[in-house]
Amino acid sequence: MTDKYAVFGNPIEQSKSPEIHHAFAQQTQQSISYEKVLGQVGNFSASLDAFFADDNAKGCNVTVPFKQDAAKWVTQLSPLAKAAGAANTIIRLENGDFRGDTTDGQGLIVDLLDQDYKFSNSKILLIGAGGASRGVVLPLLQQGVAAVDIVNRTATKAHEIEHMFEDAKVTGFGFDELNEQRQEYDLIVNCTSASLSGDLPQLSENVLCKAKFVYDMVYQATQTVFIEKAQALGVAKTSDGLGMLVGQAAYSFYLWRNVMPKLAPVLTMLRAKL
Ligand code: ATR
């Protein structure tokens, strides 16, 4: 019987996950099915119960607004998912347990590795202090980076993340404080959704122009305003977040199938359709 997978969300129509996972399956010669399922808001555990009642259902992805519910439904959580209080991937284990994991942050790592980024001892700035930013801190620390600075419009939220990690490598800032320091970063990641509305975070040009690599988690058919700005300031290397989307899916696929697909062919396919 074919192993069965799905992505749950609400709404779900826009999800590219089935297309991505079918491409991974073809590339790695795995036989799987992968569908989109509209989850029940307020009774999400019923959606998961129904899906996993079929023994062929081996795992699923979970997206907005169900990631916290998924973390509560599973019987065990990875350390990352536990720290985030959210799961975007569920894996049915041989012993009947269901393991919740989160691959969102790992998606950034997978994409950056694919782009030959050298994490070791590098200095990173994250802009934004929401779930997207919080989710990448631990995966970055695990890669051996020297520092993760977090700057946010609401400075208290950046300080909260600093206190949550209790690691000398993690420091929170408001924009004024950070802009004054004029530090140099190997990588600056825009973890806000500001680009979606054409807005730029209040990071000074003096800081942005010195970055070696600028990454925007947002992706669009055209270049994001943040990437445009970085390029105009002469930043040599830039990337939007399409690779992170493919990277988080690839890591889920790896958790289920124990084989890591290549990102490049899938990225090319998706980029052509944006
Ligand atoms: P997510 O979980 O996707 O990260 P979120 O929790 O809503 O989303 O967080 C969005 C982050 O982007 C926040 O840090 C927000 O800043 P505030 O905490 O000050 O609200 C930041 N953000 C959103 N739009 C922004 C903008 N136009 N300029 C600067 N920061 C912005």
Side-chain angles (χ1 to χ4, degrees), residues 66-270:
F66 300 124
K67 292 183 193 182
Q68 283 85 2
D69 296 322
K72 289 190 192 119
W73 183 87
V74 294
T75 55
Q76 53 171 272
L77 282 172
S78 72
L80 264 182
K82 201 171 192 173
N88 79 333
T89 305
I90 298 177
I91 307 129
R92 185 201 287 269
L93 302 179
E94 295 280 340
N95 68 359
D97 265 7
F98 291 96
R99 183 173 171 84
D101 209 329
T102 175
T103 67
D104 288 330
Q106 211 61 44
L108 176 69
I109 307 294
V110 169
D111 185 28
L112 289 171
L113 285 172
D114 203 58
Q115 300 195 45
D116 291 327
Y117 182 76
K118 303 285 178 280
F119 288 96
S120 185
N121 289 319
S122 70
K123 204 160 175 246
I124 297 174
L125 175 67
L126 303 179
I127 308 173
S133 170
R134 214 174 321 134
V136 296
V137 176
L138 202 52
L140 287 172
L141 291 174
Q142 286 170 345
Q143 293 296 321
V145 302
V148 181
D149 289 353
I150 301 153
V151 63
N152 196 46
R153 188 171 57 183
T154 314
T156 48
K157 285 201 212 163
H159 292 131
E160 275 168 27
I161 300 183
E162 173 180 335
H163 295 138
M164 208 166 85
F165 282 91
E166 288 184 328
D167 185 318
K169 292 178 177 166
V170 181
T171 316
F173 295 91
F175 279 104
D176 288 347
E177 197 187 349
L178 187 103
N179 287 338
E180 270 171 31
Q181 295 199 359
R182 298 186 175 201
Q183 307 216 31
E184 291 187 24
Y185 293 98
D186 296 295
L187 172 68
I188 296 182
V189 185
N190 185 2
C191 308
T192 76
S193 50
S195 292
L196 285 178
S197 42
D199 292 330
L200 284 167
Q202 302 89 315
L203 186 68
S204 95
E205 292 188 355
N206 288 323
V207 177
L208 188 59
C209 74
K210 291 199 202 99
K212 297 199 181 91
F213 186 173
V214 167
Y215 193 104
D216 196 342
M217 285 191 180
V218 165
Y219 60 85
Q220 294 167 334
T222 53
Q223 210 64 279
T224 73
V225 281
F226 187 65
I227 298 286
E228 261 179 6
K229 174 96 178 179
Q231 288 176 345
L233 290 170
V235 173
K237 192 161 166 57
T238 58
S239 174
D240 72 5
L242 191 64
M244 183 172 171
L245 171 79
V246 180
Q248 61 81 27
Y251 203 71
S252 291
F253 192 88
Y254 168 73
L255 292 175
W256 295 324
R257 312 295 302 179
N258 206 25
V259 49
M260 188 71 184
K262 290 195 183 71
L263 306 195
V266 181
L267 262 169
T268 306
M269 173 188 82
L270 292 180

